[in-house]
């Protein structure tokens, strides 16, 4: 696997992670209600949840890769279309971030388990990884090495993203509740996702 391919994966993962989804809304809810102490347990729970979903997805992708080059190529094209769909949906999301403060006192272990459950058991997580990961896999390189590198990269980024969201929500609550800031954020992220999907289709067409 080339450095360029890894860098593209890291950049795309960063864009996708910062987009608020069910997991981030949960992180923000806890942070708004209970402050910065939620950052570490929530970030650990999110990382473990992503590890669970990503591992299941990678094992399934590995089976497809070994079974049929054609099926794997179709999956990559479908995945590119999925990125475009997510981008358009995000662009049209407007300026709302529906995260209400959770005021009930919860132990760190319970917060961690809650974050893991929401992240790992969300069917959209596995669907997302199945659509997203094939864009960066090389059929001719060792699959297990790629799996280790991609999972490690994604989990470090996921931990940092959740930790950062929790700190921002706890320290700068007006930012996560500012409709104008959220709208700009959504439209920028949506545009980048659509661009990533189109670029993937273009690359596939040129091969």
């Amino acid at each position: 696997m080339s450095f360029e391919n890894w860098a593209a994966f890291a950049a795309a993962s960063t864009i996708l992670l910062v987009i608020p989804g069910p997991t981030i809304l949960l992180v923000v809810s806890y942070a708004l209600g209970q402050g910065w102490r939620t950052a570490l347990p929530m970030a650990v729970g999110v990382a473990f949840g992503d590890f669970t979903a990503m591992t299941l997805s990678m094992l399934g992708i590995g089976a497809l890769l070994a079974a049929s080059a054609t099926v794997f190529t179709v999956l990559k094209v479908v995945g590119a279309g999925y990125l475009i769909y997510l981008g358009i949906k995000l662009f049209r999301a407007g300026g709302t971030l529906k995260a209400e403060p959770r005021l009930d006192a919860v132990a760190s272990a319970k917060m961690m388990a809650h974050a893991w459950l929401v992240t790992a058991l969300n069917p959209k997580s596995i669907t997302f990884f199945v659509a997203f990961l094939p864009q960066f896999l090389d059929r001719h390189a060792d699959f297990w090495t790629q799996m280790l590198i991609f999972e490690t990269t994604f989990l470090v980024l996921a931990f940092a993203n959740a930790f950062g969201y929790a700190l921002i929500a706890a320290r700068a609550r007006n930012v996560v509740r500012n409709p104008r800031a959220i709208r700009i954020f959504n439209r920028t992220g949506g545009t980048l996702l659509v661009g990533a999907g189109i670029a993937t289709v273009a690359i596939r067409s040129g091969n």
Side-chain angles (χ1 to χ4, degrees):
M1 177 175 51
S2 67
F3 173 79
E4 290 77 10
N5 199 40
W6 172 84
F9 172 81
S13 296
T14 300
I15 295 169
L16 290 161
L17 281 167
V18 298
I19 296 169
T23 297
I24 292 304
L25 292 179
L26 180 69
V27 170
V28 170
S29 294
Y30 272 111
L32 287 174
Q34 302 184 42
W36 62 269
R37 77 177 187 87
T38 65
L40 183 60
M42 292 302 290
V44 171
V46 169
F48 274 118
D50 278 325
F51 171 77
T52 302
M54 195 172 185
T55 299
L56 291 174
S57 301
M58 287 288 278
L59 293 176
I61 291 169
L64 286 174
L65 190 152
S68 171
T70 301
V71 171
F72 187 69
T73 300
V74 170
L75 185 61
K76 294 185 78 168
V77 174
V78 171
Y82 185 57
L83 292 180
I84 294 172
Y85 163 76
L86 288 177
I88 294 173
K89 185 178 180 180
L90 179 63
F91 190 90
R92 299 175 60 184
T96 58
L97 187 61
K98 299 177 180 179
E100 295 299 324
R102 297 182 66 96
L103 301 176
D104 50 317
V106 177
S108 295
K110 189 172 181 179
M111 281 190 280
M112 190 186 306
H114 195 178
W116 175 80
L117 283 171
V118 170
T119 306
L121 302 185
N122 181 0
K124 290 183 179 179
S125 295
I126 296 178
T127 302
F128 161 73
F129 283 125
V130 170
F132 176 65
L133 290 169
Q135 316 303 317
F136 305 95
L137 286 172
D138 182 354
R139 291 194 75 253
H140 304 292
D142 181 69
F143 173 77
W144 298 108
T145 301
Q146 292 181 87
M147 180 175 175
L148 176 63
I149 293 172
F150 284 149
E151 284 212 32
T152 301
T153 300
F154 193 91
L155 295 180
V156 169
L157 292 172
F159 177 90
N161 182 65
F163 194 85
Y165 257 109
L167 291 182
I168 291 172
R171 298 293 186 180
R173 301 183 181 190
N174 290 335
V175 174
V176 298
R177 290 183 168 180
N178 187 317
R180 184 171 181 271
I182 298 300
R183 186 178 297 109
I184 293 172
F185 183 79
N186 285 343
R187 289 182 177 177
T188 301
T191 300
L192 291 172
L193 277 180
V194 171
I198 293 174
T200 301
V201 172
I203 291 172
R204 295 303 311 168
S205 299
N207 287 344

